[in-house]
Amino acid sequence: EIVMTQSPATLSVSPGERATLSCRASQSVSSNLAWYQQKPGQAPRLLIYGASTRATGIPARFSGSGSGTEFTLTISSLQSEDFAVYYCQQYNNWPLNTFGQGTKLEIK
Amino acid sequence: EVQLVQSGAEVKKPGESLKISCKGSGYSFTSYWIGWVRQMPGKGLEWMGIIYPGDSDTRYSPSFQGQVTISADKSISTAYLQWSSLKASDTAMYYCARRPGTIPFDYWGQGTLVTVSS
């Protein structure tokens, strides 16, 4: 099983600033990495797939990068609606597509 | 519009059986995998298993193999997750989600909260 490790567990950032979230895979997942956003009481929402492709309707302030084992989600200028929990997921290893444990992005 | 609509919240006792559902609409139900994801209270997302309704090909996470059963009825565009004997540790929110062939879960159901308590 591929283990996905996200850091930090909690990130405190002020609105308007940049946030950088990290995700590391225990073995290479190529570019088969997705990011999801989950707000309280809601289902997760797909933000990024293929490590860097924004899903339909996702604002350009969200960007993803990386390949192999190291990945980054960057939110360029935080809006109030961006404070949420973010999960990475590898989908290189079929069918067990494991999730990271999540990073909570909170208002500083 | 693509939609996945899940059945409502359930409260059950340990040892009881349960089957929850996920109905797809707005797309060809038989052409996309449907996965199930568990989220225990205050915790992260866990990939449980996945089914291809077109031919009922089903795969499970080793952590959930033998603990749950995933099935689908393509005639009514509905996927299911079932337990034969619930435990208190099955208390969680369960999500279904659609997986296109080459990208991960793009549409999610609203979730079904399962509470198991004596």
Side-chain angles (χ1 to χ4, degrees), chain A residues 94, chain B residues 2 4 22 24-35 50-57 72 74 77-79 97-107:
Chain A
W94 175 257
Chain B
V2 174
L4 295 173
C22 168
S25 62
Y27 73 100
S28 175
F29 185 74
T30 55
S31 300
Y32 293 80
W33 292 84
I34 292 285
I50 198 163
I51 188 166
Y52 189 75
D55 61 7
S56 292
D57 184 5
K74 60 186 179 183
S77 301
T78 301
R98 185 184 84 159
R99 186 184 165 167
T102 55
I103 65 174
F105 294 137
D106 61 349
Y107 285 90

Side-chain angles (χ1 to χ4, degrees), chain A residues 33-38 43-50 53-58 87 89 91, chain B residues 98 100 103-108:
Chain A
L33 191 284
W35 291 94
Y36 299 87
Q37 176 194 66
Q38 187 179 33
R45 176 175 71 146
L46 178 65
L47 297 176
I48 301 282
Y49 62 93
T53 301
R54 281 189 301 278
T56 303
I58 301 303
Y87 295 94
Q89 182 200 28
Y91 55 100
Chain B
R98 185 184 84 159
I103 65 174
F105 294 137
D106 61 349
Y107 285 90
W108 293 65

Side-chain angles (χ1 to χ4, degrees), chain A residues 66-101:
Chain A
S67 66
T69 62
E70 300 283 344
F71 300 89
T72 299
L73 174 69
T74 301
I75 311 171
S76 59
S77 178
L78 279 164
Q79 308 297 304
S80 58
E81 62 266 29
D82 300 335
F83 292 96
V85 179
Y86 292 83
Y87 295 94
C88 63
Q89 182 200 28
Q90 67 79 18
Y91 55 100
N92 190 63
N93 183 30
W94 175 257
L96 183 48
N97 300 159
T98 42
F99 292 94
Q101 82 279 17

Side-chain angles (χ1 to χ4, degrees), chain B residues 32-108:
Chain B
Y32 293 80
W33 292 84
I34 292 285
W36 288 93
V37 176
R38 183 174 79 174
Q39 188 167 39
M40 300 177 77
K43 302 299 184 183
L45 305 173
E46 299 175 88
W47 192 96
M48 300 177 69
I50 198 163
I51 188 166
Y52 189 75
D55 61 7
S56 292
D57 184 5
T58 308
R59 315 293 178 89
Y60 294 92
S61 162
S63 300
F64 292 93
Q65 179 87 46
Q67 308 304 307
V68 296
T69 301
I70 294 170
S71 61
D73 184 342
K74 60 186 179 183
S75 70
I76 54 172
S77 301
T78 301
Y80 301 97
L81 177 65
Q82 69 180 91
W83 295 259
S84 58
S85 180
L86 286 159
K87 311 179 193 64
S89 57
D90 293 317
T91 294
M93 181 71 80
Y94 293 88
Y95 294 101
C96 64
R98 185 184 84 159
R99 186 184 165 167
T102 55
I103 65 174
F105 294 137
D106 61 349
Y107 285 90
W108 293 65

